[in-house]
Amino acid sequence: DTAVSQTPKYLVTQMGNDKSIKCEQNLGHDTMYWYKQDSKKFLKIMFSYNNKELIINETVPNRFSPKSPDKAHLNLHINSLELGDSAVYFCASSRGTYYTFGSGTRLTVV
Amino acid sequence: GEDVEQSLFLSVREGDSSVINCTYTDSSSTYLYWYKQEPGAGLQLLTYIFSNMDMKQDQRLTVLLNKKDKHLSLRIADTQTGDSAIYFCAETAGGSYIPTFGRGTSLIVHP
């Protein structure tokens, strides 16, 4: 059973489109995250939710909007996609110091 | 400079030991982690060490922490081709549970 699953695994879309990436965890963790991994493999946190409440919102364009319908789900919606949004996006969940990551969504904007 | 730094590449021969190094800047670091990322996969937690420890061993993995120099290393004994991956060092500091990651070290194991 996949602990943190995100869909889709690959996403290719044109500039200007709106897209969503979904994430679900079945670990019962209270905190979920979205990370962006750029082409140089640098991981940077974007958002963190704890029990459906936003607790971290790093400097991310407001075209990115996370949505947490319940504590097992954290979806990422991106409006008006730009070329610079191309990256791998990782969802993660945690309880205390123990993190589990999803396998990533490779977003390519053309 | 970055908060967590690691060299980008390491190439070793199968059967040799690999040592991946990491330096960090925050002296209030509480936990330090090593994650492994295989191609096309997410990060997998390999091991972590609390900042009041000097060493932690887990089978083929040995983590050494030099808190004075803010230096963390991961030694993989008897490196195998299946160990080829990117290894990320990360730390949490202060009261935060959000880790800061390094850029990752690509470990290449050749026969």
Side-chain angles (χ1 to χ4, degrees):
Chain A
D1 287 340
T2 305
V4 179
S5 61
Q6 34 181 132
T7 55
K9 196 171 173 69
Y10 300 96
L11 183 54
V12 181
T13 188
Q14 290 187 323
M15 271 174 32
N17 283 350
D18 303 337
K19 290 292 177 187
S20 292
I21 308 172
K22 296 186 176 181
C23 179
E24 176 181 3
Q25 54 99 1
N26 61 6
L27 297 165
H29 287 171
D30 294 326
T31 310
M32 294 186 71
Y33 312 81
W34 278 107
Y35 282 85
K36 181 179 179 181
Q37 186 182 47
D38 63 22
S39 57
K40 295 178 182 172
K41 303 297 183 187
F42 190 54
L43 267 177
K44 190 162 182 175
I45 190 160
M46 300 171 69
F47 302 103
S48 175
Y49 269 71
N50 183 268
N51 281 321
K52 303 194 300 173
E53 300 291 325
L54 178 67
I55 57 170
I56 288 182
N57 182 358
E58 292 293 311
T59 308
V60 174
N62 58 14
R63 297 181 294 105
F64 289 78
S65 52
K67 293 273 190 311
S68 183
D70 55 62
K71 72 177 207 180
H73 295 84
L74 181 62
N75 303 323
L76 183 64
H77 188 75
I78 316 169
N79 288 329
S80 303
L81 277 153
E82 300 177 358
L83 293 177
D85 297 331
S86 295
V88 180
Y89 292 84
F90 284 96
C91 177
S93 71
S94 74
R95 171 169 287 160
T97 57
Y98 188 77
Y99 273 74
T100 303
F101 282 79
S103 57
T105 296
R106 183 175 293 279
L107 171 64
T108 304
V109 183
V110 297
Chain B
E2 291 164 10
D3 295 333
V4 179
E5 292 194 2
Q6 1 175 183
S7 52
L8 293 182
F9 298 99
L10 176 66
S11 178
V12 300
R13 200 178 308 175
E14 193 174 13
D16 287 350
S17 291
S18 309
V19 180
I20 304 171
N21 293 303
C22 170
T23 56
Y24 59 97
T25 57
D26 196 328
S27 56
S28 68
S29 288
T30 48
Y31 286 90
L32 296 119
Y33 309 81
W34 284 105
Y35 284 85
K36 177 182 180 182
Q37 184 185 25
E38 295 181 354
L43 275 70
Q44 171 196 1
L45 178 65
L46 280 180
T47 186
Y48 67 93
I49 189 168
F50 191 51
S51 59
N52 67 355
M53 295 168 65
D54 297 323
M55 186 183 92
K56 183 176 180 182
Q57 186 146 9
D58 184 3
Q59 298 181 333
R60 292 190 297 124
L61 304 179
T62 303
V63 178
L64 293 177
L65 174 61
N66 181 330
K67 202 171 176 185
K68 176 175 163 288
D69 294 339
K70 300 192 190 71
H71 182 267
L72 181 75
S73 67
L74 174 69
R75 180 177 180 271
I76 306 173
D78 186 25
T79 314
Q80 303 297 307
T81 54
D83 295 324
S84 293
I86 301 175
Y87 291 80
F88 287 87
C89 173
E91 58 144 7
T92 54
S96 173
Y97 284 137
I98 310 296
T100 301
F101 288 86
R103 287 182 178 266
T105 300
S106 288
L107 174 65
I108 300 160
V109 183
H110 52 90

